[in-house]
Amino acid sequence: MDQVQFHKVPPNCGISLSITTRFKKAADYKGYWIGVDKKSYIICRLNSADSSTGINLISEGCEVNARFHWDGKLIAFRSEIVALINEPARWMILQYPQNVMSMPLRKYDRYECYQPATLHLDSKHVLRGVLKDISERGCKFVPSAANKFNISVLKDKNLQLQTRFPKRDEPVILTCQVKNTPNERNEFALGCQFVQDYELVNQQIEYQLVDKAYEKKIQSIA
């Protein structure tokens, strides 16, 4: 990742920091990406909880292993603390890293869509919402009224996802599990992984891609 790409990282992107303290022990902190100063420094803001507990264990010169999710990738780098600032907030200034690791988070490409869907655990736990993207192995489900019960109840349990695909007259029911909840994402959406029915989902994705390509061709002719 070069300097230009680092400048594209949005402010308030969550970042995890593993810091070697002054006592040579590792301590984990959470924070937010603030920005970069050319190719010299990276600026982060520490969580309020972390900034008030155990913060005296770290100081200038402490080594830092940082990682964050952005643009569908896991970004990681090693640096050291250049300065700690208390005002206007608890900011941490890191030396710009010489090497940056970038790893895709998804093995399968996801495609944008907009399909009404419902997510069922049992008669008491039913979520209505919309599928915003889909891949052969998973999808992003955006609930419309998630405040009625604790979403964590759904995590890692077999659920029935019902939706309606183009080219099919009947609704489709897919088995899936919630792997990511709003607390683990930058948006209020559930990351679902399909347990089976991969071929059926892949077939529907191909249908939708063909339809979109045809629509673009018609528009260009018009």
mmCIF file of all heavy atoms in Angstrom, residues 109-153:
data_model
loop_
_atom_site.group_PDB
_atom_site.id
_atom_site.type_symbol
_atom_site.label_atom_id
_atom_site.label_comp_id
_atom_site.label_asym_id
_atom_site.label_seq_id
_atom_site.Cartn_x
_atom_site.Cartn_y
_atom_site.Cartn_z
ATOM 1 N N ASP A 109 -15.886 -13.061 -4.656
ATOM 2 C CA ASP A 109 -16.356 -11.727 -4.995
ATOM 3 C C ASP A 109 -17.818 -11.565 -4.618
ATOM 4 O O ASP A 109 -18.626 -12.477 -4.775
ATOM 5 C CB ASP A 109 -16.198 -11.470 -6.500
ATOM 6 C CG ASP A 109 -14.737 -11.367 -6.909
ATOM 7 O OD1 ASP A 109 -13.919 -11.021 -6.038
ATOM 8 O OD2 ASP A 109 -14.428 -11.636 -8.076
ATOM 9 N N ARG A 110 -18.151 -10.381 -4.121
ATOM 10 C CA ARG A 110 -19.540 -10.071 -3.804
ATOM 11 C C ARG A 110 -20.087 -9.093 -4.833
ATOM 12 O O ARG A 110 -19.372 -8.228 -5.331
ATOM 13 C CB ARG A 110 -19.652 -9.485 -2.396
ATOM 14 C CG ARG A 110 -19.333 -10.510 -1.311
ATOM 15 C CD ARG A 110 -19.890 -10.097 0.025
ATOM 16 N NE ARG A 110 -19.752 -11.177 0.995
ATOM 17 C CZ ARG A 110 -20.317 -11.173 2.193
ATOM 18 N NH1 ARG A 110 -21.059 -10.162 2.555
ATOM 19 N NH2 ARG A 110 -20.151 -12.182 3.008
ATOM 20 N N TYR A 111 -21.374 -9.219 -5.106
ATOM 21 C CA TYR A 111 -22.025 -8.389 -6.103
ATOM 22 C C TYR A 111 -23.175 -7.632 -5.459
ATOM 23 O O TYR A 111 -23.917 -8.176 -4.634
ATOM 24 C CB TYR A 111 -22.546 -9.250 -7.252
ATOM 25 C CG TYR A 111 -21.461 -10.061 -7.904
ATOM 26 C CD1 TYR A 111 -21.248 -11.392 -7.545
ATOM 27 C CD2 TYR A 111 -20.623 -9.492 -8.852
ATOM 28 C CE1 TYR A 111 -20.235 -12.141 -8.125
ATOM 29 C CE2 TYR A 111 -19.603 -10.233 -9.440
ATOM 30 C CZ TYR A 111 -19.418 -11.551 -9.075
ATOM 31 O OH TYR A 111 -18.419 -12.284 -9.634
ATOM 32 N N GLU A 112 -23.278 -6.364 -5.804
ATOM 33 C CA GLU A 112 -24.322 -5.530 -5.233
ATOM 34 C C GLU A 112 -25.691 -5.995 -5.712
ATOM 35 O O GLU A 112 -25.862 -6.413 -6.854
ATOM 36 C CB GLU A 112 -24.105 -4.068 -5.621
ATOM 37 C CG GLU A 112 -22.867 -3.455 -4.993
ATOM 38 C CD GLU A 112 -22.734 -1.982 -5.340
ATOM 39 O OE1 GLU A 112 -23.612 -1.473 -6.074
ATOM 40 O OE2 GLU A 112 -21.774 -1.354 -4.884
ATOM 41 N N CYS A 113 -26.662 -5.908 -4.808
ATOM 42 C CA CYS A 113 -28.029 -6.252 -5.159
ATOM 43 C C CYS A 113 -28.964 -5.504 -4.211
ATOM 44 O O CYS A 113 -28.509 -4.791 -3.312
ATOM 45 C CB CYS A 113 -28.277 -7.763 -5.081
ATOM 46 S SG CYS A 113 -28.096 -8.450 -3.411
ATOM 47 N N TYR A 114 -30.248 -5.666 -4.417
ATOM 48 C CA TYR A 114 -31.244 -5.081 -3.505
ATOM 49 C C TYR A 114 -32.451 -6.000 -3.531
ATOM 50 O O TYR A 114 -33.301 -5.886 -4.412
ATOM 51 C CB TYR A 114 -31.629 -3.663 -3.932
ATOM 52 C CG TYR A 114 -32.457 -2.948 -2.895
ATOM 53 C CD1 TYR A 114 -31.845 -2.190 -1.902
ATOM 54 C CD2 TYR A 114 -33.848 -3.037 -2.894
ATOM 55 C CE1 TYR A 114 -32.601 -1.536 -0.936
ATOM 56 C CE2 TYR A 114 -34.611 -2.396 -1.933
ATOM 57 C CZ TYR A 114 -33.976 -1.640 -0.953
ATOM 58 O OH TYR A 114 -34.723 -0.997 0.002
ATOM 59 N N GLN A 115 -32.484 -6.941 -2.583
ATOM 60 C CA GLN A 115 -33.535 -7.948 -2.554
ATOM 61 C C GLN A 115 -34.175 -8.001 -1.167
ATOM 62 O O GLN A 115 -33.480 -8.254 -0.180
ATOM 63 C CB GLN A 115 -32.955 -9.337 -2.872
ATOM 64 C CG GLN A 115 -32.385 -9.464 -4.264
ATOM 65 C CD GLN A 115 -31.689 -10.807 -4.480
ATOM 66 O OE1 GLN A 115 -30.873 -10.970 -5.384
ATOM 67 N NE2 GLN A 115 -32.011 -11.794 -3.642
ATOM 68 N N PRO A 116 -35.469 -7.769 -1.055
ATOM 69 C CA PRO A 116 -36.149 -7.956 0.228
ATOM 70 C C PRO A 116 -35.936 -9.383 0.724
ATOM 71 O O PRO A 116 -35.923 -10.335 -0.067
ATOM 72 C CB PRO A 116 -37.620 -7.691 -0.111
ATOM 73 C CG PRO A 116 -37.576 -6.819 -1.326
ATOM 74 C CD PRO A 116 -36.372 -7.290 -2.105
ATOM 75 N N ALA A 117 -35.750 -9.540 2.025
ATOM 76 C CA ALA A 117 -35.470 -10.865 2.589
ATOM 77 C C ALA A 117 -35.908 -10.894 4.045
ATOM 78 O O ALA A 117 -36.094 -9.855 4.681
ATOM 79 C CB ALA A 117 -33.989 -11.191 2.472
ATOM 80 N N THR A 118 -36.080 -12.110 4.575
ATOM 81 C CA THR A 118 -36.346 -12.304 6.000
ATOM 82 C C THR A 118 -35.395 -13.345 6.538
ATOM 83 O O THR A 118 -35.015 -14.294 5.840
ATOM 84 C CB THR A 118 -37.800 -12.759 6.250
ATOM 85 O OG1 THR A 118 -38.071 -13.931 5.470
ATOM 86 C CG2 THR A 118 -38.781 -11.661 5.892
ATOM 87 N N LEU A 119 -34.991 -13.174 7.791
ATOM 88 C CA LEU A 119 -34.060 -14.066 8.454
ATOM 89 C C LEU A 119 -34.778 -14.700 9.647
ATOM 90 O O LEU A 119 -35.281 -13.995 10.523
ATOM 91 C CB LEU A 119 -32.832 -13.279 8.923
ATOM 92 C CG LEU A 119 -31.523 -14.014 9.197
ATOM 93 C CD1 LEU A 119 -31.054 -14.777 7.966
ATOM 94 C CD2 LEU A 119 -30.457 -13.033 9.644
ATOM 95 N N HIS A 120 -34.853 -16.038 9.682
ATOM 96 C CA HIS A 120 -35.642 -16.745 10.675
ATOM 97 C C HIS A 120 -34.758 -17.637 11.548
ATOM 98 O O HIS A 120 -33.972 -18.427 11.031
ATOM 99 C CB HIS A 120 -36.686 -17.654 10.014
ATOM 100 C CG HIS A 120 -37.614 -16.933 9.080
ATOM 101 N ND1 HIS A 120 -38.925 -16.658 9.384
ATOM 102 C CD2 HIS A 120 -37.410 -16.427 7.841
ATOM 103 C CE1 HIS A 120 -39.498 -16.022 8.378
ATOM 104 N NE2 HIS A 120 -38.600 -15.870 7.426
ATOM 105 N N LEU A 121 -34.887 -17.513 12.868
ATOM 106 C CA LEU A 121 -34.349 -18.490 13.802
ATOM 107 C C LEU A 121 -35.488 -19.386 14.297
ATOM 108 O O LEU A 121 -35.408 -20.602 14.255
ATOM 109 C CB LEU A 121 -33.680 -17.808 14.991
ATOM 110 C CG LEU A 121 -33.195 -18.736 16.115
ATOM 111 C CD1 LEU A 121 -32.184 -19.747 15.588
ATOM 112 C CD2 LEU A 121 -32.600 -17.932 17.263
ATOM 113 N N ASP A 122 -36.563 -18.758 14.749
ATOM 114 C CA ASP A 122 -37.788 -19.451 15.131
ATOM 115 C C ASP A 122 -38.919 -18.435 15.049
ATOM 116 O O ASP A 122 -38.722 -17.319 14.539
ATOM 117 C CB ASP A 122 -37.680 -20.068 16.537
ATOM 118 C CG ASP A 122 -37.198 -19.054 17.573
ATOM 119 O OD1 ASP A 122 -37.625 -17.887 17.511
ATOM 120 O OD2 ASP A 122 -36.389 -19.428 18.443
ATOM 121 N N SER A 123 -40.099 -18.795 15.558
ATOM 122 C CA SER A 123 -41.250 -17.900 15.434
ATOM 123 C C SER A 123 -41.074 -16.598 16.214
ATOM 124 O O SER A 123 -41.694 -15.578 15.895
ATOM 125 C CB SER A 123 -42.523 -18.614 15.919
ATOM 126 O OG SER A 123 -42.383 -19.026 17.279
ATOM 127 N N LYS A 124 -40.195 -16.598 17.222
ATOM 128 C CA LYS A 124 -39.975 -15.397 18.024
ATOM 129 C C LYS A 124 -38.868 -14.517 17.466
ATOM 130 O O LYS A 124 -38.771 -13.350 17.828
ATOM 131 C CB LYS A 124 -39.632 -15.794 19.463
ATOM 132 C CG LYS A 124 -40.769 -16.475 20.215
ATOM 133 C CD LYS A 124 -40.340 -16.787 21.638
ATOM 134 C CE LYS A 124 -41.466 -17.450 22.413
ATOM 135 N NZ LYS A 124 -41.057 -17.783 23.814
ATOM 136 N N HIS A 125 -38.007 -15.073 16.661
ATOM 137 C CA HIS A 125 -36.858 -14.334 16.150
ATOM 138 C C HIS A 125 -36.920 -14.301 14.623
ATOM 139 O O HIS A 125 -36.408 -15.204 13.947
ATOM 140 C CB HIS A 125 -35.554 -14.967 16.618
ATOM 141 C CG HIS A 125 -35.386 -14.983 18.101
ATOM 142 N ND1 HIS A 125 -35.832 -16.019 18.878
ATOM 143 C CD2 HIS A 125 -34.839 -14.074 18.952
ATOM 144 C CE1 HIS A 125 -35.553 -15.767 20.142
ATOM 145 N NE2 HIS A 125 -34.955 -14.585 20.219
ATOM 146 N N VAL A 126 -37.563 -13.273 14.105
ATOM 147 C CA VAL A 126 -37.702 -13.077 12.662
ATOM 148 C C VAL A 126 -37.297 -11.644 12.334
ATOM 149 O O VAL A 126 -37.842 -10.699 12.891
ATOM 150 C CB VAL A 126 -39.140 -13.343 12.178
ATOM 151 C CG1 VAL A 126 -39.229 -13.108 10.674
ATOM 152 C CG2 VAL A 126 -39.579 -14.753 12.538
ATOM 153 N N LEU A 127 -36.343 -11.505 11.450
ATOM 154 C CA LEU A 127 -35.885 -10.180 11.025
ATOM 155 C C LEU A 127 -36.257 -9.946 9.568
ATOM 156 O O LEU A 127 -35.976 -10.785 8.710
ATOM 157 C CB LEU A 127 -34.362 -10.069 11.157
ATOM 158 C CG LEU A 127 -33.781 -9.619 12.501
ATOM 159 C CD1 LEU A 127 -32.264 -9.609 12.412
ATOM 160 C CD2 LEU A 127 -34.293 -8.254 12.877
ATOM 161 N N ARG A 128 -36.858 -8.799 9.302
ATOM 162 C CA ARG A 128 -37.121 -8.395 7.918
ATOM 163 C C ARG A 128 -36.071 -7.378 7.508
ATOM 164 O O ARG A 128 -35.616 -6.576 8.324
ATOM 165 C CB ARG A 128 -38.524 -7.787 7.793
ATOM 166 C CG ARG A 128 -39.640 -8.761 8.132
ATOM 167 C CD ARG A 128 -41.014 -8.124 7.922
ATOM 168 N NE ARG A 128 -42.068 -9.046 8.312
ATOM 169 C CZ ARG A 128 -42.530 -10.013 7.535
ATOM 170 N NH1 ARG A 128 -42.032 -10.162 6.301
ATOM 171 N NH2 ARG A 128 -43.486 -10.820 7.946
ATOM 172 N N GLY A 129 -35.684 -7.444 6.248
ATOM 173 C CA GLY A 129 -34.677 -6.512 5.786
ATOM 174 C C GLY A 129 -34.402 -6.651 4.310
ATOM 175 O O GLY A 129 -35.278 -7.075 3.542
ATOM 176 N N VAL A 130 -33.174 -6.317 3.927
ATOM 177 C CA VAL A 130 -32.788 -6.288 2.515
ATOM 178 C C VAL A 130 -31.390 -6.879 2.360
ATOM 179 O O VAL A 130 -30.506 -6.626 3.188
ATOM 180 C CB VAL A 130 -32.799 -4.837 1.974
ATOM 181 C CG1 VAL A 130 -32.264 -4.790 0.556
ATOM 182 C CG2 VAL A 130 -34.201 -4.257 2.034
ATOM 183 N N LEU A 131 -31.190 -7.672 1.311
ATOM 184 C CA LEU A 131 -29.846 -8.111 0.934
ATOM 185 C C LEU A 131 -29.207 -7.011 0.102
ATOM 186 O O LEU A 131 -29.751 -6.601 -0.923
ATOM 187 C CB LEU A 131 -29.903 -9.406 0.131
ATOM 188 C CG LEU A 131 -30.449 -10.659 0.810
ATOM 189 C CD1 LEU A 131 -30.274 -11.863 -0.107
ATOM 190 C CD2 LEU A 131 -29.778 -10.900 2.142
ATOM 191 N N LYS A 132 -28.026 -6.537 0.546
ATOM 192 C CA LYS A 132 -27.346 -5.457 -0.172
ATOM 193 C C LYS A 132 -26.221 -5.969 -1.065
ATOM 194 O O LYS A 132 -25.824 -5.308 -2.012
ATOM 195 C CB LYS A 132 -26.797 -4.432 0.828
ATOM 196 C CG LYS A 132 -27.866 -3.575 1.478
ATOM 197 C CD LYS A 132 -28.575 -2.720 0.440
ATOM 198 C CE LYS A 132 -29.551 -1.741 1.073
ATOM 199 N NZ LYS A 132 -28.879 -0.673 1.830
ATOM 200 N N ASP A 133 -25.653 -7.142 -0.731
ATOM 201 C CA ASP A 133 -24.700 -7.777 -1.641
ATOM 202 C C ASP A 133 -24.723 -9.270 -1.387
ATOM 203 O O ASP A 133 -25.222 -9.747 -0.358
ATOM 204 C CB ASP A 133 -23.286 -7.180 -1.533
ATOM 205 C CG ASP A 133 -22.608 -7.474 -0.199
ATOM 206 O OD1 ASP A 133 -22.845 -8.546 0.390
ATOM 207 O OD2 ASP A 133 -21.829 -6.631 0.259
ATOM 208 N N ILE A 134 -24.180 -10.017 -2.341
ATOM 209 C CA ILE A 134 -24.246 -11.477 -2.250
ATOM 210 C C ILE A 134 -23.059 -12.085 -2.981
ATOM 211 O O ILE A 134 -22.546 -11.530 -3.960
ATOM 212 C CB ILE A 134 -25.580 -12.000 -2.853
ATOM 213 C CG1 ILE A 134 -25.795 -13.478 -2.517
ATOM 214 C CG2 ILE A 134 -25.653 -11.744 -4.350
ATOM 215 C CD1 ILE A 134 -27.188 -13.973 -2.842
ATOM 216 N N SER A 135 -22.580 -13.223 -2.457
ATOM 217 C CA SER A 135 -21.547 -14.001 -3.124
ATOM 218 C C SER A 135 -21.966 -15.462 -3.069
ATOM 219 O O SER A 135 -23.000 -15.804 -2.485
ATOM 220 C CB SER A 135 -20.188 -13.821 -2.438
ATOM 221 O OG SER A 135 -20.135 -14.564 -1.235
ATOM 222 N N GLU A 136 -21.150 -16.322 -3.647
ATOM 223 C CA GLU A 136 -21.473 -17.749 -3.634
ATOM 224 C C GLU A 136 -21.530 -18.292 -2.211
ATOM 225 O O GLU A 136 -22.271 -19.232 -1.937
ATOM 226 C CB GLU A 136 -20.419 -18.513 -4.437
ATOM 227 C CG GLU A 136 -20.680 -20.006 -4.525
ATOM 228 C CD GLU A 136 -19.601 -20.738 -5.300
ATOM 229 O OE1 GLU A 136 -18.894 -20.094 -6.100
ATOM 230 O OE2 GLU A 136 -19.456 -21.960 -5.089
ATOM 231 N N ARG A 137 -20.792 -17.678 -1.274
ATOM 232 C CA ARG A 137 -20.701 -18.222 0.081
ATOM 233 C C ARG A 137 -21.325 -17.328 1.157
ATOM 234 O O ARG A 137 -21.318 -17.710 2.329
ATOM 235 C CB ARG A 137 -19.233 -18.476 0.433
ATOM 236 C CG ARG A 137 -18.579 -19.567 -0.413
ATOM 237 C CD ARG A 137 -19.301 -20.891 -0.292
ATOM 238 N NE ARG A 137 -18.773 -21.901 -1.190
ATOM 239 C CZ ARG A 137 -17.916 -22.841 -0.837
ATOM 240 N NH1 ARG A 137 -17.469 -22.895 0.395
ATOM 241 N NH2 ARG A 137 -17.507 -23.734 -1.710
ATOM 242 N N GLY A 138 -21.825 -16.154 0.816
ATOM 243 C CA GLY A 138 -22.381 -15.309 1.858
ATOM 244 C C GLY A 138 -23.067 -14.081 1.319
ATOM 245 O O GLY A 138 -23.153 -13.861 0.108
ATOM 246 N N CYS A 139 -23.586 -13.243 2.232
ATOM 247 C CA CYS A 139 -24.305 -12.039 1.820
ATOM 248 C C CYS A 139 -24.289 -11.024 2.958
ATOM 249 O O CYS A 139 -23.937 -11.333 4.098
ATOM 250 C CB CYS A 139 -25.748 -12.369 1.446
ATOM 251 S SG CYS A 139 -26.733 -13.028 2.821
ATOM 252 N N LYS A 140 -24.670 -9.790 2.629
ATOM 253 C CA LYS A 140 -24.846 -8.739 3.625
ATOM 254 C C LYS A 140 -26.334 -8.461 3.771
ATOM 255 O O LYS A 140 -26.997 -8.059 2.821
ATOM 256 C CB LYS A 140 -24.104 -7.465 3.207
ATOM 257 C CG LYS A 140 -24.295 -6.308 4.192
ATOM 258 C CD LYS A 140 -23.336 -5.167 3.919
ATOM 259 C CE LYS A 140 -23.639 -4.463 2.622
ATOM 260 N NZ LYS A 140 -22.754 -3.309 2.398
ATOM 261 N N PHE A 141 -26.840 -8.688 4.975
ATOM 262 C CA PHE A 141 -28.256 -8.510 5.265
ATOM 263 C C PHE A 141 -28.420 -7.269 6.140
ATOM 264 O O PHE A 141 -27.820 -7.167 7.210
ATOM 265 C CB PHE A 141 -28.796 -9.750 5.987
ATOM 266 C CG PHE A 141 -30.232 -9.647 6.400
ATOM 267 C CD1 PHE A 141 -31.253 -9.926 5.494
ATOM 268 C CD2 PHE A 141 -30.577 -9.295 7.689
ATOM 269 C CE1 PHE A 141 -32.584 -9.848 5.878
ATOM 270 C CE2 PHE A 141 -31.895 -9.215 8.084
ATOM 271 C CZ PHE A 141 -32.908 -9.491 7.179
ATOM 272 N N VAL A 142 -29.222 -6.318 5.677
ATOM 273 C CA VAL A 142 -29.465 -5.079 6.420
ATOM 274 C C VAL A 142 -30.859 -5.141 7.018
ATOM 275 O O VAL A 142 -31.859 -5.051 6.300
ATOM 276 C CB VAL A 142 -29.333 -3.837 5.514
ATOM 277 C CG1 VAL A 142 -29.594 -2.575 6.312
ATOM 278 C CG2 VAL A 142 -27.949 -3.788 4.877
ATOM 279 N N PRO A 143 -30.975 -5.338 8.343
ATOM 280 C CA PRO A 143 -32.297 -5.449 8.969
ATOM 281 C C PRO A 143 -33.000 -4.100 9.035
ATOM 282 O O PRO A 143 -32.358 -3.053 9.155
ATOM 283 C CB PRO A 143 -31.983 -5.984 10.364
ATOM 284 C CG PRO A 143 -30.584 -5.562 10.630
ATOM 285 C CD PRO A 143 -29.886 -5.525 9.305
ATOM 286 N N SER A 144 -34.327 -4.127 8.970
ATOM 287 C CA SER A 144 -35.103 -2.887 9.010
ATOM 288 C C SER A 144 -35.565 -2.535 10.415
ATOM 289 O O SER A 144 -35.885 -1.388 10.699
ATOM 290 C CB SER A 144 -36.317 -3.004 8.082
ATOM 291 O OG SER A 144 -37.110 -4.124 8.433
ATOM 292 N N ALA A 145 -35.636 -3.513 11.323
ATOM 293 C CA ALA A 145 -36.083 -3.252 12.693
ATOM 294 C C ALA A 145 -35.349 -4.178 13.646
ATOM 295 O O ALA A 145 -35.936 -5.081 14.240
ATOM 296 C CB ALA A 145 -37.587 -3.436 12.806
ATOM 297 N N ALA A 146 -34.046 -3.958 13.797
ATOM 298 C CA ALA A 146 -33.226 -4.869 14.591
ATOM 299 C C ALA A 146 -33.268 -4.564 16.076
ATOM 300 O O ALA A 146 -32.712 -5.302 16.873
ATOM 301 C CB ALA A 146 -31.789 -4.801 14.103
ATOM 302 N N ASN A 147 -33.935 -3.476 16.470
ATOM 303 C CA ASN A 147 -33.935 -3.101 17.879
ATOM 304 C C ASN A 147 -34.961 -3.869 18.704
ATOM 305 O O ASN A 147 -35.107 -3.651 19.892
ATOM 306 C CB ASN A 147 -34.203 -1.603 18.014
ATOM 307 C CG ASN A 147 -35.525 -1.197 17.377
ATOM 308 O OD1 ASN A 147 -36.071 -1.926 16.568
ATOM 309 N ND2 ASN A 147 -36.015 -0.032 17.740
ATOM 310 N N LYS A 148 -35.686 -4.799 18.096
ATOM 311 C CA LYS A 148 -36.718 -5.530 18.816
ATOM 312 C C LYS A 148 -36.154 -6.668 19.656
ATOM 313 O O LYS A 148 -36.794 -7.140 20.578
ATOM 314 C CB LYS A 148 -37.764 -6.064 17.833
ATOM 315 C CG LYS A 148 -38.575 -4.952 17.171
ATOM 316 C CD LYS A 148 -39.678 -5.524 16.299
ATOM 317 C CE LYS A 148 -40.531 -4.418 15.701
ATOM 318 N NZ LYS A 148 -41.606 -4.963 14.832
ATOM 319 N N PHE A 149 -34.945 -7.148 19.316
ATOM 320 C CA PHE A 149 -34.322 -8.182 20.137
ATOM 321 C C PHE A 149 -32.810 -8.154 19.926
ATOM 322 O O PHE A 149 -32.308 -7.484 19.034
ATOM 323 C CB PHE A 149 -34.896 -9.569 19.814
ATOM 324 C CG PHE A 149 -34.667 -10.010 18.394
ATOM 325 C CD1 PHE A 149 -33.506 -10.690 18.046
ATOM 326 C CD2 PHE A 149 -35.608 -9.772 17.417
ATOM 327 C CE1 PHE A 149 -33.288 -11.100 16.745
ATOM 328 C CE2 PHE A 149 -35.393 -10.181 16.113
ATOM 329 C CZ PHE A 149 -34.244 -10.839 15.779
ATOM 330 N N ASN A 150 -32.115 -8.867 20.761
ATOM 331 C CA ASN A 150 -30.659 -8.886 20.749
ATOM 332 C C ASN A 150 -30.155 -9.702 19.560
ATOM 333 O O ASN A 150 -30.358 -10.913 19.499
ATOM 334 C CB ASN A 150 -30.150 -9.484 22.062
ATOM 335 C CG ASN A 150 -28.646 -9.376 22.184
ATOM 336 O OD1 ASN A 150 -27.972 -8.876 21.289
ATOM 337 N ND2 ASN A 150 -28.119 -9.839 23.297
ATOM 338 N N ILE A 151 -29.471 -9.044 18.643
ATOM 339 C CA ILE A 151 -28.997 -9.712 17.433
ATOM 340 C C ILE A 151 -27.984 -10.806 17.749
ATOM 341 O O ILE A 151 -27.874 -11.796 17.028
ATOM 342 C CB ILE A 151 -28.400 -8.685 16.455
ATOM 343 C CG1 ILE A 151 -29.519 -7.810 15.881
ATOM 344 C CG2 ILE A 151 -27.649 -9.353 15.323
ATOM 345 C CD1 ILE A 151 -29.047 -6.751 14.929
ATOM 346 N N SER A 152 -27.249 -10.654 18.847
ATOM 347 C CA SER A 152 -26.238 -11.653 19.193
ATOM 348 C C SER A 152 -26.845 -13.039 19.416
ATOM 349 O O SER A 152 -26.143 -14.047 19.344
ATOM 350 C CB SER A 152 -25.467 -11.217 20.440
ATOM 351 O OG SER A 152 -26.344 -11.114 21.552
ATOM 352 N N VAL A 153 -28.155 -13.092 19.664
ATOM 353 C CA VAL A 153 -28.842 -14.378 19.828
ATOM 354 C C VAL A 153 -28.737 -15.209 18.553
ATOM 355 O O VAL A 153 -28.715 -16.442 18.586
ATOM 356 C CB VAL A 153 -30.329 -14.161 20.192
ATOM 357 C CG1 VAL A 153 -31.100 -15.470 20.199
ATOM 358 C CG2 VAL A 153 -30.441 -13.492 21.554
#
